[in-house]
Amino acid sequence: MQSFGRVFRRLYSTKLPQPPTQRAATALPKHAAEAREASTPMAVLERRARKQPDLLPPPGSDLTPSEYSSYRRQLAKGELMTEQGRDLTEAEWLDALNEKRSRLRGVKVVAKGNQKQVEVVGQKIYLPNVIFRMVRNHTPKGKPYNPYEATFRIPQSITKTDIRSYLSAVYGVETTYIRTANYISPLRRTRMGLRPVGRYRTYKRAVVGLVNPFYYPLDLEDMDRAARKEREAWLEEKFALKALVRWRRYELVRSTQSGSKGWRFTGHLRRDKILQAVARRRMITRMEIEGIKAEIAEKRAAGKQILSEKVKS
């Protein structure tokens, strides 16, 4: 059996790859496929570099090296045999794989007569309280931004199937691949570093491949002066950012200083405005003192009584 296994592996490994005869219906567009290859993790690229050239997919194939290895492995085991007695082609196998990948949780296709309808078999969730925070993709210095990829920060309890279902049901976004990674926040310790006192927020990062490109809006620093003013005016009109900042400062001062003895809100929060108000009050006090001095000098010159006697009751 051992010699037979070696011969079988030798025949399997020396089988020359055949170019694909047809293209899969669910194959990625050219630019999306290139973006997927560009975002492949470094560990996967190193593992593919150690493979022999005859184990890589032939030119023009829609399969990745990992998918091609899985296809050849299943083909050698005889697991791709159809009822008609033939093996599935690369295109048919890829279509079946993508159909399995793109399945949505709680939804199935039901045949009613000659038509196929989508039926919800799971529990419907209205207004989900799941927060998907979209951030910019990690782009190495000197390389272009990848528009066929989106990065999210999500709760740790969300799975890949949940991500695909959420983006499809809420936003109608078609996804190709999903890569997740958990970011474990380090502990916060005391100043001497002796004991932990807490930790920062721990989250899960999800890198989602897109069928259609998405171009992230430019930063204000990357715009010219006219476009920057137009963007700031639009943000102020829609979200009132300046008023929001002003009220945040007011609430911060009110919540932290309102308990102090003799405190009252003067209406100023900026340091320069506070100093100007203090200088104005000092000037008013100085003017009042000068007026009292002049009045005392006039009474003294006229021989009048400066201080009235205190009447005892």
Side-chain angles (χ1 to χ4, degrees), residues 278-294:
V278 171
R280 192 182 304 110
R281 290 182 179 276
R282 287 179 178 177
M283 184 181 62
I284 294 174
T285 304
R286 190 180 302 110
M287 293 176 61
E288 292 178 352
I289 294 174
E290 294 294 335
I292 294 174
K293 286 183 178 179

Side-chain angles (χ1 to χ4, degrees), residues 232-250:
E232 291 177 350
W234 183 85
L235 291 175
E236 184 64 25
E237 178 185 359
K238 298 296 183 181
F239 303 101
L241 299 181
K242 294 181 180 179
L244 183 62
V245 172
R246 185 168 61 253
W247 279 105
R248 280 179 177 174
R249 290 179 178 177
Y250 170 75

Side-chain angles (χ1 to χ4, degrees), residues 54-98:
D54 55 349
L55 298 180
L56 298 176
S61 177
D62 296 325
L63 303 180
T64 63
S66 302
E67 294 173 348
Y68 186 70
S69 300
S70 300
Y71 171 75
R72 293 188 60 187
R73 190 180 304 111
Q74 296 180 17
L75 186 65
K77 293 180 179 180
E79 298 177 355
L80 303 181
M81 186 71 66
T82 62
E83 297 179 355
Q84 292 77 16
R86 66 177 185 86
D87 294 328
L88 293 177
T89 61
E90 291 185 13
E92 295 174 346
W93 181 81
L94 183 59
D95 289 337
L97 181 62
N98 289 335

Side-chain angles (χ1 to χ4, degrees), residues 132-145:
F132 275 57
R133 180 185 175 188
M134 187 176 185
V135 296
R136 292 182 180 271
N137 300 333
H138 172 69
T139 305
K141 187 177 180 179
K143 292 188 177 181
Y145 190 82

